[in-house]
Amino acid sequence: MAIGEGPGSVTTYDAKTPLRRREEVIADPRARLERMMEIRHAEQKIRELHEEGLAWGSTHSCDGQEAVAVGIAAAVPPTDHVVGAHRGHGLGLAMGLTPEQLLGETLGRSVGAVEGLGGSPHLVETSVGLVFTVTLMGAGIPIVAGLALAAQVQGSDRVAVAVFGDGAVNIGAFHEGLNLAALWRLPAVFIIENNHYGEFSRYDRTTTVEPPARRAEAYGLPWTLVDGQDVDAVIEAVGTAVATARSGGGPTLLELRTYRYFGHSRSDRAPYRPEGELEAWRARDPIRILGDRLVADGVVDEADLAAMEERCRERVEAAAAHALAAPVTDVTAMFRHVYPEAAP
Amino acid sequence: MAIGEGPGSVTTYDAKTPLRRREEVIADPRARLERMMEIRHAEQKIRELHEEGLAWGSTHSCDGQEAVAVGIAAAVPPTDHVVGAHRGHGLGLAMGLTPEQLLGETLGRSVGAVEGLGGSPHLVETSVGLVFTVTLMGAGIPIVAGLALAAQVQGSDRVAVAVFGDGAVNIGAFHEGLNLAALWRLPAVFIIENNHYGEFSRYDRTTTVEPPARRAEAYGLPWTLVDGQDVDAVIEAVGTAVATARSGGGPTLLELRTYRYFGHSRSDRAPYRPEGELEAWRARDPIRILGDRLVADGVVDEADLAAMEERCRERVEAAAAHALAAPVTDVTAMFRHVYPEAAP
Amino acid sequence: MARLRMNQAIGRALADAMDEDPTVVVFGEDVAAAGGVFKTSVGLLEAFGPDRVRDTPISEMAIVGAAVGAAMGGLRPVAEIMFADFFGVALDQVVTQGALVHYLTRGAVTVPMVVRSSVGAGRGFAATHSRTVEEWFLSAPGLKLVEVSGARTAYGLLRAAIREDGPVVVLEPRALYGSREEFEPGEDAVLALGRAEVRRPGDEATVVAVGQTVGIADRAIEELGASVELIDLLSLRPWDVDTVLESVARTGRLALVEEHPFTGGWGPDVASRVGQELFGDLAAPILRITAPDVPVPFARELEFRYLPSVEYVASQLRTWLDTGKLPAPWWADIREGV
Amino acid sequence: MARLRMNQAIGRALADAMDEDPTVVVFGEDVAAAGGVFKTSVGLLEAFGPDRVRDTPISEMAIVGAAVGAAMGGLRPVAEIMFADFFGVALDQVVTQGALVHYLTRGAVTVPMVVRSSVGAGRGFAATHSRTVEEWFLSAPGLKLVEVSGARTAYGLLRAAIREDGPVVVLEPRALYGSREEFEPGEDAVLALGRAEVRRPGDEATVVAVGQTVGIADRAIEELGASVELIDLLSLRPWDVDTVLESVARTGRLALVEEHPFTGGWGPDVASRVGQELFGDLAAPILRITAPDVPVPFARELEFRYLPSVEYVASQLRTWLDTGKLPAPWWADIREGV
Ligand SMILES: Cc1ncc(C[n+]2csc(CCOP(=O)(O)OP(=O)(O)O)c2C)c(N)n1
Ligand SMILES: Cc1ncc(C[n+]2csc(CCOP(=O)(O)OP(=O)(O)O)c2C)c(N)n1
Ligand SMILES: [Mg+2]
Ligand SMILES: [Mg+2]
């Protein structure tokens, strides 16, 4: 096995923390709610760090898309392989990365998920199966086919999952990767996280079929359109697709409908959105939907919600303080891991 | 207009010959039959030239696929733009290239379609709209979108046509090119020449939908499956698609079902074909189908057919003799047309 | 005179070209309604309409391929590839299709297309969005390649590229999009492809730089206080052999300041050619000041260490001028590539 | 001892590696049932079954991407890209994805993949199927690049590449697939990446060649009758600086025989580095014997004129050895690039 055998990142938190955090999300709906709140707080904090001039460079927030991230993390066991895309803060935290790992990466510190060498679009944590994050549109799709091929050849029951944006459905790698995965009936799940926009273009201004997931038919694959604001719907759909893949039923293409509350990246004020669109989506806020449901079901009460929010706030603040206090990544780090160390 | 303005090839036959030959094919079913015979003879001659060691290098014969070539040439006016693919001897002759141009190119002579610089997979003759031939799978598809974009922006009623193999439907450029053409409703027609094989792989062993043309639906485009052995069916389908494109109705994806009688290229004896497959297709030989029809309709009689065959044989023999007598392309030719001449 | 940011100068060049020639069209990801992610095409959609200024899907192969076809069909398309790293999915359309059409049609078809793209580090875009990948294009027969170094050269070279009858790739250092320069746009500002510019005269040594290293080298020479000639290469294919040779023949020394890692890029071609032509006439070995052979790191401190800085370039030049020997690069003592 | 054609040696290397290591898998277009269009994988499907030996669709991006993923997932995939020109549609997966995974996961994930591909002219495949595009890979941090020169090195380097824990691109001159060489396959035949080989000793000059130019240079030196050392570079990234420098320091002269056009390719890096390191110690300018800067022409006479021939290499070397000056290339009097 190539994954997880490397020396791994040097971090000050416990190496088992991500897996523990992941197990919470898998096991407990309250943990899912809290994780969604944590993601929201982390995004807010990242914006602050940028405004204060402490963070820099490329970053993409996912406020509004938390149910997608947490739903995937809850439905996919940590032994499966997931490849994410550039807008991955939420997926990273949901899958188990610590806020320190995320904020450290954003700040270019040694405690970052990849030691500050990749930046926040490049989160990885192999202990929970987040094996790579791809920032070229759709490039992760054939890679996930390859991960699934490995499982198939090895006779493993591991499943490989690709998460990518609606913008990636028009790129060549999407086509080639899906065809290959379908042809070889690979144990893979392909997830379009349709937040309605590429950078500044609504998906229906660039994509010629509605819904985009219908493209699955071009490869003889099943597809499902899912309410990405409802974490339980996400878990259900992803879980079904993963189970199908695991039992030899081949790949599924899922489209999770969601919305990003902020611009594509920091400088984008999103002037291209039609009036009222943001408000309509905010009315279906994924945190509220799950919160209301858990309150209605008597699983939590309002005081619990407030306590969760407070814990998330504190956790994120502590993570930021910790990351800011951590050393800037050493210059020598850029020379490490360019090539694997030769066996001694 | 960029096309046709360049200095053009130096050839000894009349520069108007290709257009005249094209007009014959458009106007007269007998000319279509004779052109199909000519293609068959030319392919036979090319094999001989290779066996005799006179020709060399990459070449792909299209015996069995003549109705596709001639049908397209008959349905598309010479003022439209066509981009072909590597297996293009038939399309070239059908569109109007002379046998000298084809055989000269095969032999690397100055009388070749592109002076022997491209080889027989790179036939071009702008006077009849064969504006480029692409030998990387599917790469012509976005180029044809671009040609159609030019027509659209210019307000011209020109249509652009891409002809490519069944092997090209799994390449990224197919996906990206069709989506863009559909999105912009470009005046283009995309033609899959499905001869059932890539190099040595049957199309259904690499392609996950049946028929491949159904992929049009992934771009909201209409598609048609056509009997590629019946030149009249080809003319009808291509003509309809071209008319749709010309009148602003956007692109169509056509699949013309056909079969290549010989291997992929010279060295291939095609051992991968199931027994009886070739014979079954030979029973639906496109030349025979049209010949029988014209005889049945009283347009030609058996003597006419024999005369046509004889003319084709003679024309191809004369072309071969002429090409062999022509000078080998001069070494300085490889330095010409690398860049356009600067305006004087 | 106008004082424009480089991105504004590019927008101005596009607008002037579109005004002059109705066959010029512009397309790419978010170039129309949004005016480009780097604001290099602001206002074009409003001025020239949706037929000539178009947003595309995220489909780099289709973008370049459509430019090839549109150019064959009689337009002068200017396509944008947002980050040059993305040519990794579309290189075929540039070098194997577009650049060969004229040759393979024996001059019957021309491809007057321009593909613009941003390059380089210094903006926190990390490993996959920060390379200058000039070597992907340098050896492509039929293609021309330029890299601009500021607002004025961006304007002048883009206008020249649009007028060119063959395909041209224009690389724009994205770290410079916001930098301003004063110049007079218009006919007189159009530059010639294939020509380098002497940016400062000198007689002790010649420095050749490209893109964002031109400004860095300029400040480094200033700091140094030596009489060093600075040449902005501008065109990478073909590059201006005559101007470089003339200068080095005079100064006897050549240093290159490259953003690219030591291996590959535009530098070795220039160094190797000058070494051949001026064999025996050089007073010192050719100095290549480059980035190290590693992926572009994200952390700000690392990214600016990766890039040749003014101080680093000055110190390298100083040692080399003083000793006539090659100074070790800053990373010499770090075990590389492990 | 076995006397194998180069394509057989490649098949043997694949079979031996698959025997040795059950994680080795092979896929690409028509590599399984047909044994490869160049017959480099004949019999593997029968020997190792359809799980480990697979035909793919014509989808280069998926082929390389699947190799990246399969390698991440614990296999050692050997993917085939039929003609290296086709990397123009799949370069991203090699240099921007595969080569960066180890770095961007800080060593947590390795990518032990090999991508084999055929390169070069001399077989009548014309402009779009004949380039050696080494410059597309030369500057890619995280990647290794080799080019084989016959049956023995094809076997030895491929086996080494398969054992490597990072991604390796193996270029195979397709003109040599049918050429035979006698050697003993097996453990002792495995070569080390990063090492050049001295193919013939000499003390008047050093010639460095790669791929099919190794044999051409060898015959040219033979014809010349001079004492010229011939080095087969074999590895292009990283290249064996020590072996080359040691030789040139001894002989005082360096000539490169390159299949690539004069602009770009592996030559300028070697020439520029040697020029730096041995400044003042060279008895003559570094000679680069290359192809001209034009697309590969189809006509047989032209294609073999394009490629450096034995006679041409010998005559270039002779003039250079005799005069200490650079001879003009054969195309010097032809107006180039028009
Ligand atoms: C091949 C490629 N083209 C373009 C880009 C630039 N880019 C980065 S993010 C983005 C928009 C992506 O939209 P989508 O896939 O919907 O993801 P989202 O940002 O909405 O999460 C683009 C075009 C890229 N990274 N890769
Ligand atoms: C991108 C690319 N990949 C692979 C090839 C090699 N190749 C040449 S022809 C061919 C088979 C093409 O099959 P198809 O498209 O069905 O056309 P046909 O040969 O049947 O006419 C292949 C794989 C290529 N030219 N381009
Ligand atoms: Mg989106
Ligand atoms: Mg076919």
Side-chain angles (χ1 to χ4, degrees):
Chain A
M1 259 288 299
I3 288 172
E5 273 184 353
S9 349
V10 181
T11 50
T12 52
Y13 54 84
D14 185 336
K16 301 216 184 80
T17 316
L19 187 55
R20 209 190 53 241
R21 280 168 51 83
R22 176 65 162 286
E23 282 161 357
E24 292 165 6
V25 158
I26 292 173
D28 185 352
R30 287 168 306 181
R32 295 199 273 273
L33 179 60
E34 185 166 333
R35 190 63 52 83
M36 285 162 63
M37 292 173 177
E38 181 187 290
I39 293 169
R40 186 76 55 94
H41 277 276
E43 292 294 25
Q44 181 56 34
K45 189 75 214 170
I46 289 174
R47 275 188 294 275
E48 286 169 27
L49 292 170
H50 276 279
E51 274 154 30
E52 292 163 27
L54 294 167
W56 95 307
S58 186
T59 200
H60 312 89
S61 70
C62 71
D63 311 58
Q65 305 179 209
E66 293 87 352
V68 167
V70 172
I72 294 169
V76 178
T79 44
D80 284 345
H81 286 163
V82 176
V83 173
H86 61 287
R87 194 174 304 283
H89 303 167
L91 188 65
L93 292 176
M95 288 190 67
L97 268 85
T98 64
E100 287 91 326
Q101 284 180 291
L102 169 61
L103 297 176
E105 197 55 39
T106 305
L107 290 161
R109 304 292 165 123
S110 58
V111 296
V114 293
E115 295 186 86
L117 270 284
S120 84
H122 283 284
L123 302 178
V124 163
E125 177 52 63
T126 55
S127 72
V128 291
L130 184 58
V131 298
F132 198 46
T133 301
V134 168
T135 51
L136 267 86
M137 296 302 102
I141 295 170
I143 293 175
V144 160
L147 284 160
L149 171 64
Q152 190 182 67
V153 172
Q154 288 157 347
S156 152
D157 70 352
R158 212 173 49 233
V159 170
V161 180
V163 185
F164 49 90
D166 48 284
V169 304
N170 297 315
I171 195 104
F174 170 92
H175 179 66
E176 297 191 9
L178 283 183
N179 184 59
L180 190 72
L183 186 70
W184 289 348
R185 246 183 130 70
L186 297 174
V189 177
F190 299 97
I191 302 179
I192 308 171
E193 183 170 7
N194 186 349
N195 65 4
H196 287 69
Y197 288 89
E199 295 215 358
F200 315 138
S201 294
R202 236 186 103 96
Y203 78 91
D204 50 12
R205 290 191 47 239
T206 57
T207 308
T208 47
V209 70
E210 177 64 30
R214 241 200 86 192
R215 292 215 166 131
E217 294 171 10
Y219 317 103
L221 292 180
W223 58 276
T224 317
L225 189 61
V226 185
D227 177 1
Q229 303 309 86
D230 178 347
V231 72
D232 293 313
V234 173
I235 293 173
E236 159 89 35
V238 174
T240 303
V242 167
T244 302
R246 203 181 311 285
S247 62
T252 304
L253 180 62
L254 298 176
E255 178 175 340
L256 313 190
R257 286 283 169 118
T258 182
Y259 198 78
R260 65 165 152 76
Y261 291 168
F262 288 83
H264 168 70
S265 59
R266 277 181 302 116
S267 54
D268 173 26
R269 307 254 153 259
Y272 44 80
R273 297 201 283 217
E275 208 165 320
E277 188 181 73
L278 172 61
E279 293 65 31
W281 279 94
R282 278 201 185 265
R284 297 206 64 245
D285 185 81
I287 300 179
R288 181 116 45 83
I289 289 175
L290 181 59
D292 287 353
R293 182 172 305 151
L294 294 186
V295 170
D297 292 353
V299 180
V300 295
D301 60 19
E302 292 293 338
D304 292 331
L305 295 184
M308 283 180 183
E309 285 282 7
E310 183 53 23
R311 280 200 300 273
C312 289
R313 209 192 50 73
E314 279 172 12
R315 203 179 309 126
V316 167
E317 287 300 331
H322 179 198
L324 283 167
V328 165
T329 306
D330 191 82
V331 163
T332 62
M334 77 172 91
F335 297 91
R336 281 197 300 275
H337 306 303
V338 178
Y339 293 93
E341 307 245 8
Chain B
M1 259 290 298
I3 287 173
E5 275 184 353
S9 350
V10 181
T11 50
T12 53
Y13 53 85
D14 184 335
K16 300 215 183 81
T17 315
L19 187 55
R20 208 190 54 240
R21 281 167 51 82
R22 177 65 162 287
E23 281 162 357
E24 291 164 7
V25 158
I26 292 174
D28 185 352
R30 288 168 305 182
R32 294 198 274 273
L33 178 60
E34 185 166 332
R35 190 63 52 83
M36 285 163 61
M37 293 173 176
E38 180 187 291
I39 294 169
R40 186 75 55 94
H41 278 275
E43 292 295 24
Q44 182 55 34
K45 189 75 213 168
I46 289 173
R47 274 188 295 275
E48 286 169 29
L49 292 170
H50 275 279
E51 274 154 29
E52 292 164 27
L54 294 167
W56 95 308
S58 187
T59 199
H60 312 90
S61 69
C62 70
D63 311 63
Q65 307 181 208
E66 294 86 351
V68 167
V70 172
I72 293 170
V76 178
T79 43
D80 284 345
H81 286 163
V82 176
V83 173
H86 60 287
R87 194 175 302 284
H89 303 168
L91 188 65
L93 292 177
M95 288 190 66
L97 268 85
T98 64
E100 288 90 327
Q101 284 181 292
L102 169 61
L103 297 175
E105 196 56 38
T106 305
L107 290 161
R109 305 290 165 127
S110 59
V111 296
V114 294
E115 294 186 85
L117 270 285
S120 84
H122 283 284
L123 302 178
V124 164
E125 178 50 62
T126 55
S127 72
V128 291
L130 184 58
V131 297
F132 198 47
T133 301
V134 167
T135 51
L136 267 87
M137 296 301 102
I141 296 170
I143 293 175
V144 160
L147 284 161
L149 171 64
Q152 190 182 69
V153 171
Q154 289 157 346
S156 152
D157 71 353
R158 211 173 51 234
V159 169
V161 179
V163 185
F164 49 90
D166 48 283
V169 304
N170 297 315
I171 195 101
F174 170 91
H175 180 67
E176 296 191 9
L178 283 182
N179 184 59
L180 191 71
L183 186 70
W184 289 347
R185 245 182 131 69
L186 296 174
V189 177
F190 300 97
I191 301 179
I192 308 171
E193 183 170 9
N194 186 349
N195 65 3
H196 288 69
Y197 288 89
E199 295 216 356
F200 316 137
S201 294
R202 237 187 102 94
Y203 78 91
D204 50 12
R205 290 190 48 238
T206 57
T207 308
T208 45
V209 71
E210 177 63 29
R214 239 199 87 191
R215 291 213 166 133
E217 294 171 10
Y219 317 102
L221 292 180
W223 58 277
T224 316
L225 189 62
V226 184
D227 177 1
Q229 302 309 86
D230 180 346
V231 72
D232 293 313
V234 173
I235 293 173
E236 158 89 34
V238 174
T240 302
V242 167
T244 302
R246 202 181 311 285
S247 62
T252 303
L253 181 62
L254 298 176
E255 178 175 340
L256 312 190
R257 285 284 168 118
T258 184
Y259 198 78
R260 64 165 152 76
Y261 290 168
F262 289 83
H264 166 71
S265 58
R266 277 183 300 118
S267 54
D268 174 25
R269 307 255 154 259
Y272 43 81
R273 298 201 282 218
E275 209 165 321
E277 189 181 71
L278 173 61
E279 293 66 30
W281 279 95
R282 279 201 185 267
R284 298 207 63 245
D285 185 81
I287 300 178
R288 180 116 47 80
I289 289 175
L290 181 59
D292 288 354
R293 183 172 304 151
L294 294 187
V295 170
D297 291 355
V299 180
V300 295
D301 60 21
E302 292 294 336
D304 292 332
L305 295 183
M308 282 180 185
E309 284 282 5
E310 183 53 23
R311 279 201 300 272
C312 289
R313 209 192 50 74
E314 280 171 14
R315 203 180 309 127
V316 167
E317 287 301 330
H322 180 198
L324 283 167
V328 166
T329 305
D330 191 81
V331 163
T332 61
M334 77 172 90
F335 297 91
R336 281 196 300 276
H337 307 303
V338 179
Y339 293 92
E341 307 246 8
Chain C
M1 294 290 265
R3 197 171 145 72
L4 300 178
R5 293 185 198 275
M6 189 172 88
N7 54 3
Q8 295 170 324
I10 291 164
R12 179 68 185 269
L14 293 171
D16 288 356
M18 296 182 82
D19 261 334
E20 171 180 275
D21 182 345
T23 69
V24 176
V25 299
V26 169
F27 51 85
E29 293 161 18
D30 290 317
V31 301
V37 303
F38 297 114
K39 303 287 169 217
T40 48
S41 46
V42 174
L44 295 182
L45 174 64
E46 295 72 17
F48 300 100
D51 228 35
R52 292 178 68 192
V53 186
R54 298 184 184 213
D55 287 323
T56 66
I58 303 172
S59 308
E60 280 76 9
M61 243 183 298
I63 292 170
V64 184
V68 172
M72 292 170 65
L75 300 182
R76 291 190 175 264
V78 184
E80 176 176 304
I81 296 297
M82 200 186 289
F83 287 70
D85 310 72
F86 307 165
F87 280 112
V89 298
L91 195 61
D92 178 65
Q93 290 290 346
V94 185
V95 307
T96 311
Q97 310 308 327
L100 296 182
V101 167
H102 193 67
Y103 184 83
L104 287 174
T105 61
R106 305 314 292 142
V109 182
T110 57
V111 183
M113 79 166 176
V114 174
V115 187
R116 299 173 36 244
S117 193
S118 73
V119 292
R123 291 278 302 266
F125 285 114
T128 63
H129 285 60
S130 297
R131 288 181 65 194
T132 65
V133 290
E134 65 265 23
E135 67 271 13
W136 293 354
F137 308 102
L138 267 182
S139 312
L143 192 71
K144 293 192 177 181
L145 175 68
V146 303
E147 183 167 341
V148 308
S149 58
R152 181 182 58 82
T153 57
Y155 180 90
L157 288 173
L158 180 52
R159 295 229 35 206
I162 295 171
R163 290 181 181 179
E164 183 77 9
D165 283 335
V168 184
V169 170
V170 178
L171 304 178
E172 301 164 356
R174 71 180 67 84
L176 301 184
Y177 280 129
S179 73
R180 291 179 193 276
E181 209 175 351
E182 197 147 324
F183 72 102
E184 184 68 48
E187 199 52 41
D188 291 348
V190 179
L191 297 170
L193 302 184
R195 295 269 175 75
E197 279 186 1
V198 176
R199 296 291 286 266
R200 54 156 75 221
D203 49 31
E204 284 181 49
T206 301
V207 167
V208 176
V210 167
Q212 67 168 312
T213 67
V214 174
I216 291 166
D218 191 45
R219 292 198 293 284
I221 295 169
E222 188 70 43
E223 192 166 288
L224 210 62
S227 172
V228 172
E229 186 144 307
L230 174 60
I231 295 177
D232 181 349
L233 202 56
L234 294 175
S235 275
L236 302 180
R237 179 183 179 88
W239 61 277
D240 188 347
V241 181
D242 292 345
T243 296
V244 173
L245 286 182
E246 185 280 321
S247 173
V248 183
R250 199 159 24 74
T251 64
R253 286 176 185 248
L254 173 63
L256 311 179
V257 185
E258 311 169 36
E259 170 169 352
H260 200 277
F262 184 74
T263 304
W266 61 269
D269 262 281
V270 173
S272 127
R273 182 74 186 272
V274 171
Q276 287 188 317
E277 302 280 342
L278 298 178
F279 179 76
D281 298 334
L282 295 177
I286 296 171
L287 171 61
R288 292 183 56 219
I289 306 172
T290 72
D293 268 319
V294 303
V296 182
F298 167 75
R300 179 156 39 183
E301 291 74 7
L302 274 61
E303 184 164 6
F304 284 105
R305 191 68 184 272
Y306 170 91
L307 279 173
S309 65
V310 172
E311 299 66 41
Y312 175 61
V313 172
S315 92
Q316 289 271 304
L317 289 175
R318 184 173 299 119
T319 308
W320 176 68
L321 286 170
D322 288 352
T323 65
K325 299 213 182 331
L326 293 179
W330 64 261
W331 60 85
D333 294 332
I334 302 173
R335 206 164 63 127
E336 207 180 319
V338 172
Chain D
M1 293 292 264
R3 197 169 145 74
L4 300 177
R5 292 185 199 275
M6 189 172 88
N7 54 2
Q8 295 169 323
I10 292 164
R12 179 68 184 270
L14 293 171
D16 288 357
M18 295 181 82
D19 262 335
E20 171 181 274
D21 181 346
T23 68
V24 177
V25 298
V26 169
F27 50 85
E29 293 161 18
D30 288 318
V31 301
V37 302
F38 297 114
K39 302 289 171 215
T40 48
S41 47
V42 174
L44 295 182
L45 174 64
E46 296 71 16
F48 300 100
D51 227 36
R52 291 177 67 193
V53 186
R54 299 186 184 213
D55 286 323
T56 65
I58 303 172
S59 309
E60 279 76 10
M61 242 184 297
I63 293 170
V64 184
V68 172
M72 292 170 65
L75 300 182
R76 289 189 177 266
V78 185
E80 176 176 302
I81 296 297
M82 200 186 288
F83 287 72
D85 310 72
F86 307 165
F87 280 113
V89 298
L91 195 62
D92 178 66
Q93 289 290 345
V94 184
V95 307
T96 311
Q97 311 307 326
L100 297 183
V101 167
H102 192 67
Y103 184 84
L104 286 175
T105 62
R106 305 314 292 143
V109 183
T110 57
V111 182
M113 78 164 177
V114 174
V115 188
R116 299 174 38 246
S117 194
S118 73
V119 292
R123 291 279 301 269
F125 285 114
T128 63
H129 286 59
S130 298
R131 288 181 64 193
T132 64
V133 289
E134 66 265 23
E135 68 271 14
W136 293 354
F137 307 102
L138 267 181
S139 312
L143 192 71
K144 294 191 177 181
L145 176 68
V146 303
E147 182 167 341
V148 308
S149 58
R152 181 183 60 81
T153 59
Y155 181 90
L157 288 173
L158 179 52
R159 296 229 33 208
I162 294 171
R163 289 181 182 180
E164 183 78 10
D165 284 335
V168 184
V169 169
V170 178
L171 304 178
E172 302 164 357
R174 70 180 67 85
L176 301 183
Y177 280 129
S179 73
R180 291 179 194 276
E181 210 175 351
E182 195 148 322
F183 72 102
E184 183 68 47
E187 198 54 39
D188 291 347
V190 180
L191 296 170
L193 303 184
R195 295 270 175 74
E197 279 187 1
V198 176
R199 297 290 287 265
R200 55 157 73 221
D203 48 32
E204 283 181 51
T206 301
V207 167
V208 176
V210 167
Q212 67 168 313
T213 68
V214 174
I216 292 166
D218 191 45
R219 292 198 294 284
I221 295 169
E222 188 70 43
E223 192 165 291
L224 209 62
S227 171
V228 172
E229 186 144 307
L230 174 59
I231 295 177
D232 181 348
L233 201 56
L234 293 175
S235 276
L236 301 181
R237 180 183 180 90
W239 62 277
D240 188 346
V241 180
D242 292 345
T243 296
V244 174
L245 286 182
E246 185 280 321
S247 173
V248 183
R250 200 160 22 76
T251 63
R253 286 176 186 249
L254 173 64
L256 311 179
V257 186
E258 311 170 36
E259 170 170 350
H260 200 278
F262 183 75
T263 304
W266 62 269
D269 262 281
V270 173
S272 126
R273 182 72 186 273
V274 172
Q276 287 189 316
E277 301 279 341
L278 297 179
F279 180 77
D281 297 335
L282 295 177
I286 296 171
L287 171 61
R288 293 181 56 219
I289 306 173
T290 72
D293 269 319
V294 303
V296 181
F298 167 75
R300 181 157 35 184
E301 291 75 7
L302 273 59
E303 183 164 6
F304 283 105
R305 190 70 184 271
Y306 170 91
L307 280 172
S309 66
V310 172
E311 299 67 39
Y312 175 62
V313 171
S315 92
Q316 288 271 305
L317 289 175
R318 185 173 298 117
T319 309
W320 176 69
L321 287 170
D322 288 352
T323 66
K325 298 213 183 330
L326 294 179
W330 63 263
W331 61 85
D333 293 333
I334 302 174
R335 205 166 62 130
E336 206 180 318
V338 173

